[in-house]
Amino acid sequence: MSGVEKTSNESPEVEDKNKEMDAEAEESFGDDYGVEPSQYLFYSDRKEWADLEPVPQDEGPNPVVKIAYSKKFSDVYDYFRALLKKDERSERAFALTADAIDLNAANYTVWHYRRILLQALSKDLRKEMTYITNIIEEQPKNYQVWHHRRMVVEWLNDPTEELAFIAEILSQDAKNYHAWQHRQWVIQEYKLWDNELEFVESLLEDDVRNNSAWNQRHFVISHTTGYSDPAVVEREIQYCLQQIRKAPHNESAWNYLKGILQDHGLSSQPGLLEKVLELKETHCSPYLLAFLFDCYEDALENSKNTEEQERQETLSKALEICELLAQEKDTIRKEYWQFLGRSLQSRHGRSSSEEPPGAEAESLPASGVQEAS
Amino acid sequence: GVTDVDMSPKYHFLKDRHVRFFQRTLQVLPERYASLETTRLSIVFFALSGLDVLGSLDVIDKDLIIEWIYSQQVLPTDDKSNLGRCGFRGSSHIGIPYSTKGPGVLHPYDSGHVAMTYTGLCSLLILGDDLSRVNKQGCLAGLRALQLEDGSFYSVPEGSENDIRFIYCAACICFMLDDWSGMNIQKAIEYIRGSLVSGWTYCAIASLCLMGRLEEALSPRELDRIRRWCIMRQQSGFHGRPNKPVDTCYSFWVGATLELLGVFRYTNFEKNRNFILSTQDRLVGGFAKWPDSHPDPLHAYFGLCGLSLIGEPNLRKVHPALNITQGAFQHLQQLHQTWRSSCGQQH
């Protein structure tokens, strides 16, 4: 009995759904599943394991979220628990970890124990690289497998397979977060910057909307040449605008552009505003308009000694953009754009004495929830 | 914002189905859920907090579940040699004999997991427990053992990947135990600032709010940029990164971040609601990440939280930083008051 009232009569829909999901799950099970029952021997029937007393999972009188394991699954893990208890360091233990991983590659204790054994038994780490390569191919979105690979690479102190391997994984899913994290780690750790920009560009050729690739572009350049060299900045601006012309509705390209310029002030880049205003006519998007707004806002924030007339014109253009976004080009964020317009107005509007007293009320708390410590 | 509610059946919120979905989750899951074994306590949290948001905790036996949760606590041994490994386990998978009280049993591979300690404490609070059986010294020592030089955390003392998710877990633990000696806040803040480029914005902002350091760590301009980044995630529901598909759970991750930053009210509630409900499973209850996909406990929980944020009727309000209902949060505040006013309390 669990600590939960049994629900009355499972509906037929739930039963059907469960059968459908079980069938789907079976399709994705490993090789053993199709094996004749007579070929697979439970550990409890293997004589070379007879000395070990299996340790069942002890859930207590009222287990919660209990998982219903098959005999095959429990058998492997009962012996895994037995090995753990005595901290056995042996070949048979090492072999069992592969079975345990096959059944549940997310069990971090199994992976940790396997690493202990790899070292205690001085196992061939090259073979382990092959092993982990295969596992990651099958389960590329699992944290434990990537962490394991990282440990083996560190022990071998050999990153030479990594970039090619990660590229292969990315060819199946170009946005796999784990793959990108591993890639950034290996590049930074082993200083493998040389060909990465080229790699990024090839991915952006494949899909100019790949946000991870744009992120990687920023990662590479900021850690190599940096963005203080005006030639680099100019090259990157050109690259961005080129990609935007090819695919205007691409938030990633506009985010990248803003990201490389915002710390120096968007309005300080000569000629950029004009180029963006040109693009507005033929390659408009909510992101272009947001960028324009940010340029105008930056101009207002950072050129306090500009003539009042010019400032009011800039403010007016910015407010026009807000209206265009709110009413037509980015209506899902209507409330936000109108809020930004009001904020800008109250910060830079002509003579604050004209503003009604409530104008300050719009300024929001940095947090709706700040906890007293 | 006012929601223009679409009244067609597709957008009916099927409360009872979700209650039953979480009830079933708390009972038995089929073997295809094996990958959740080591994180079962977090699944318990999704189900319990989900039932709490639904105002339906009465369908479960709270005391029995409390016992099971305490059986996952890794307690200090008599000689306290394992203090750096204390906390809560996700489950009994390594074979520790069932026990709800100490002293701890020495086992070469037994240790807590930071996300399980976090969700374990939340779960106890949701069930109305007073945390009196939590070994705070152990939990905090176990937490300190997980923090790296760069301010980030491992999940387990044996080592794991390290990132901002575990800083968030650590911040929640310190907040709940009302004791920030579990972490070096300054280093954590440095790591948070350095990692804002990534998509884990919720963890960053929620951690800073729990620490009470949001405006200290981030300038008004940086906060505005984060607001813009987050608000741009709305496509119908929300996605986590540009040019990725929307996913129900981001209605909470991004929505709660926007709420903490004071601008959630400027999102489009109707489109958000319609997307979340399009992922509702009308047969078995729960929510999936996408329409026409299978529901799971995580998306079921965060789908509800997403609806709660927009003020869906009959759903309890959720504290956006700690991710438990306001009711459970008030219970925690009362515990804090009791602890602080009792004799000999050191602060």
Side-chain angles (χ1 to χ4, degrees):
Chain A
M1 223 276 281
S2 74
V4 178
E5 258 172 46
K6 287 287 181 213
T7 51
S8 56
N9 305 342
E10 207 69 292
S11 67
E13 294 87 6
V14 173
E15 290 305 318
D16 282 348
K17 181 77 137 194
N18 282 340
K19 286 195 196 122
E20 182 188 308
M21 291 179 69
D22 279 335
E24 277 173 30
E26 243 183 66
E27 273 161 33
S28 57
F29 271 160
D31 309 312
D32 276 346
Y33 232 76
V35 169
E36 287 278 358
S38 55
Q39 288 180 264
Y40 182 80
L41 212 52
F42 292 127
Y43 280 82
S44 56
D45 295 327
R46 300 182 198 188
K47 26 186 224 330
E48 62 278 17
W49 288 87
D51 60 295
L52 205 52
E53 186 68 35
V55 177
Q57 194 165 354
D58 186 355
E59 299 272 19
N62 301 294
V64 191
V65 187
K66 185 173 161 67
I67 300 174
Y69 293 114
S70 63
K71 177 153 188 218
K72 175 175 167 161
F73 198 114
S74 308
D75 174 67
V76 172
Y77 272 89
D78 287 351
Y79 279 84
F80 171 66
R81 283 182 274 272
L83 291 169
L84 276 191
K85 187 171 170 184
K86 55 196 284 261
D87 199 5
E88 182 172 309
R89 311 275 174 103
S90 67
E91 281 297 333
R92 70 174 181 178
F94 185 74
L96 185 143
T97 62
D99 278 348
I101 284 163
D102 195 52
L103 291 169
N104 178 11
N107 189 316
Y108 58 83
T109 309
V110 179
W111 284 107
H112 171 64
Y113 183 55
R114 187 178 173 92
R115 284 192 287 276
I116 299 273
L117 294 170
L118 279 169
Q119 300 195 294
L121 306 172
S122 302
K123 300 294 289 182
D124 182 341
L125 294 179
R126 298 278 166 203
K127 283 201 181 135
E128 190 66 5
M129 281 298 287
T130 306
Y131 174 73
I132 195 62
T133 294
N134 293 333
I135 304 275
I136 294 176
E137 289 275 3
E138 291 163 19
Q139 306 187 53
K141 295 207 171 179
N142 163 318
Y143 280 97
Q144 289 72 37
V145 300
W146 287 97
H147 177 67
H148 189 75
R149 188 185 181 95
R150 177 168 156 166
M151 297 303 296
V152 179
V153 167
E154 280 181 358
W155 288 344
L156 284 170
N157 199 33
D158 178 8
T160 55
E161 290 177 28
E162 297 318 281
L163 296 183
F165 170 70
I166 301 163
E168 152 60 25
I169 297 294
L170 289 174
S171 73
Q172 293 159 40
D173 173 2
K175 301 180 183 183
N176 182 327
Y177 171 80
H178 304 272
W180 283 110
Q181 288 295 108
H182 188 78
R183 197 173 182 90
Q184 289 194 349
W185 167 73
V186 89
I187 285 175
Q188 199 153 21
E189 188 72 19
Y190 296 97
K191 303 183 178 17
L192 303 174
W193 305 98
D194 288 353
N195 302 312
E196 192 61 5
L197 190 56
E198 190 185 318
F199 178 71
V200 163
E201 280 192 16
S202 75
L203 285 185
L204 289 174
E205 272 294 303
D206 290 342
D207 177 10
V208 71
R209 293 186 181 82
N210 184 336
N211 194 74
S212 306
W214 283 101
N215 190 52
Q216 189 76 344
R217 192 179 183 96
H218 191 273
F219 173 74
V220 172
I221 295 177
S222 54
H223 283 92
T224 51
T225 58
Y227 289 99
S228 12
D229 179 355
V232 171
V233 174
E234 185 55 37
R235 180 197 76 205
E236 290 303 297
I237 293 174
Q238 286 318 311
Y239 182 80
C240 274
L241 296 178
Q242 195 182 4
Q243 304 317 315
I244 286 163
R245 282 185 205 101
K246 275 197 259 173
H249 196 88
N250 182 2
E251 190 190 345
S252 302
W254 284 104
N255 284 354
Y256 180 82
L257 186 61
K258 180 174 165 191
I260 65 180
L261 297 173
Q262 63 189 358
D263 289 334
H264 287 275
L266 291 180
S267 59
S268 67
Q269 192 67 24
L272 181 62
L273 184 65
E274 288 68 28
K275 287 205 191 91
V276 176
L277 285 167
E278 258 176 54
L279 274 178
K280 177 169 172 283
E281 300 312 306
T282 49
H283 297 77
C284 199
S285 70
Y287 321 114
L288 181 149
L289 294 170
F291 187 88
L292 260 186
F293 173 86
D294 293 332
C295 288
Y296 293 137
E297 183 187 38
D298 185 65
L300 289 168
E301 294 284 317
N302 296 315
S303 43
K304 301 270 189 282
N305 36 331
T306 309
E307 249 191 61
E308 185 58 22
Q309 170 75 354
E310 196 180 321
R311 288 170 54 78
Q312 289 307 311
E313 270 167 30
T314 303
L315 174 61
S316 171
K317 286 184 210 160
L319 295 178
E320 234 176 75
I321 299 280
C322 285
E323 264 306 282
L324 183 58
L325 283 163
Q327 302 301 344
E328 197 186 317
K329 298 290 189 179
D330 197 22
T331 58
I332 196 171
R333 271 167 281 278
K334 170 179 173 165
E335 304 289 333
Y336 172 72
W337 294 117
Q338 289 177 339
F339 158 68
L340 277 199
R342 291 192 301 270
S343 303
L344 201 68
Q345 171 83 43
S346 76
R347 275 204 308 283
H348 299 288
R350 196 184 1 247
S351 58
S352 49
S353 61
E354 279 183 29
E355 293 302 321
E360 247 62 60
E362 191 83 61
S363 73
L364 36 75
S367 162
V369 181
Q370 269 247 59
E371 304 311 324
S373 50
Chain B
V2 175
T3 310
D4 270 323
V5 177
D6 186 328
M7 292 304 279
S8 57
K10 176 178 173 183
Y11 297 124
H12 285 176
F13 172 66
L14 301 171
K15 177 179 163 170
D16 289 342
R17 298 269 173 180
H18 302 305
V19 172
R20 289 207 294 278
F21 179 89
F22 288 126
Q23 281 180 289
R24 286 198 307 277
T25 301
L26 286 168
Q27 291 163 358
V28 183
L29 297 179
E31 189 179 278
R32 66 170 177 274
Y33 287 90
S35 63
L36 299 181
E37 175 64 46
T38 56
T39 59
R40 277 165 57 198
L41 186 45
S42 67
I43 308 300
V44 172
F45 164 73
F46 292 143
L48 291 178
S49 200
L51 285 170
D52 194 12
V53 173
L54 290 164
S56 300
L57 279 173
D58 53 305
V59 307
I60 51 151
D61 186 325
K62 295 180 187 171
D63 290 333
L64 290 183
I65 300 181
I66 287 172
E67 291 311 297
W68 185 86
I69 295 172
Y70 274 118
S71 77
Q72 305 312 328
Q73 185 169 200
V74 179
L75 289 161
T77 51
D78 276 325
D79 65 358
K80 300 203 172 172
S81 57
N82 69 334
L83 269 186
R85 288 161 53 191
C86 292
F88 282 73
R89 309 175 193 97
S91 77
S92 54
H93 71 276
I94 70 158
I96 299 287
Y98 180 87
S99 168
T100 58
K101 48 193 187 341
V105 171
L106 200 55
H107 183 295
Y109 291 93
D110 190 26
S111 55
H113 182 296
V114 75
M116 302 306 122
T117 304
Y118 147 59
T119 50
L121 291 173
C122 283
S123 298
L124 289 169
L125 286 173
I126 291 164
L127 294 170
D129 186 74
D130 65 359
L131 306 187
S132 56
R133 288 190 275 166
V134 173
N135 188 299
K136 290 173 192 162
Q137 183 195 31
C139 285
L140 293 167
L143 196 51
R144 281 190 292 273
L146 299 175
Q147 190 168 22
L148 287 93
E149 261 308 296
D150 67 2
S152 68
F153 281 76
Y154 287 138
S155 60
V156 292
E158 293 79 15
S160 72
E161 71 279 11
N162 61 296
D163 55 53
I164 199 175
R165 293 172 297 151
F166 305 135
I167 293 184
Y168 173 70
C169 295
C172 288
I173 293 166
C174 289
F175 185 86
M176 284 185 279
L177 295 181
D178 200 21
D179 190 331
W180 291 88
S181 72
M183 61 193 293
N184 180 321
I185 294 184
Q186 209 41 57
K187 289 222 168 113
I189 291 178
E190 275 164 37
Y191 186 88
I192 290 172
R193 287 187 49 80
S195 71
L196 277 168
V197 193
S198 81
W200 299 112
T201 315
Y202 174 79
C203 291
I205 299 301
S207 295
L208 290 173
C209 287
L210 290 170
M211 293 168 184
R213 305 283 189 107
L214 184 70
E215 282 164 303
E216 178 191 311
L218 297 170
S219 68
R221 177 176 304 194
E222 284 170 319
L223 289 169
D224 277 341
R225 287 179 191 165
I226 294 170
R227 290 183 181 102
R228 173 74 65 83
W229 164 266
C230 288
I231 213 149
M232 293 303 292
R233 295 310 113 236
Q234 184 168 24
Q235 310 298 299
S236 52
F238 289 78
H239 61 196
R241 307 176 258 166
N243 295 316
K244 292 273 296 187
V246 290
D247 170 336
T248 293
C249 63
Y250 289 106
S251 287
F252 178 77
W253 298 127
V254 181
T257 308
L258 288 168
E259 177 68 20
L260 290 169
L261 296 174
V263 290
F264 182 70
R265 72 186 93 154
Y266 301 122
T267 60
N268 185 311
F269 284 19
E270 181 185 359
K271 294 207 154 102
N272 188 11
R273 180 181 192 274
N274 288 351
F275 175 73
I276 299 171
L277 285 173
S278 75
T279 70
Q280 176 178 235
D281 191 309
R282 304 177 63 77
L283 287 178
V284 308
F287 295 85
K289 65 191 296 191
W290 297 326
D292 304 316
S293 305
H294 295 304
D296 62 71
L298 181 146
H299 289 91
Y301 176 61
F302 288 115
L304 283 185
C305 291
L307 289 173
S308 167
L309 279 176
I310 62 177
E312 181 75 20
N314 302 319
L315 291 184
R316 306 252 167 103
K317 283 302 203 180
V318 173
H319 186 285
L322 195 51
N323 191 17
I324 55 179
T325 59
Q326 291 291 354
F329 186 80
Q330 274 152 34
H331 169 60
L332 176 65
Q333 286 181 310
Q334 271 156 12
L335 287 180
H336 286 175
Q337 257 182 350
T338 310
W339 298 344
R340 287 175 189 182
S341 61
S342 66
C343 320
Q345 196 68 10
Q346 289 140 359
H347 275 282

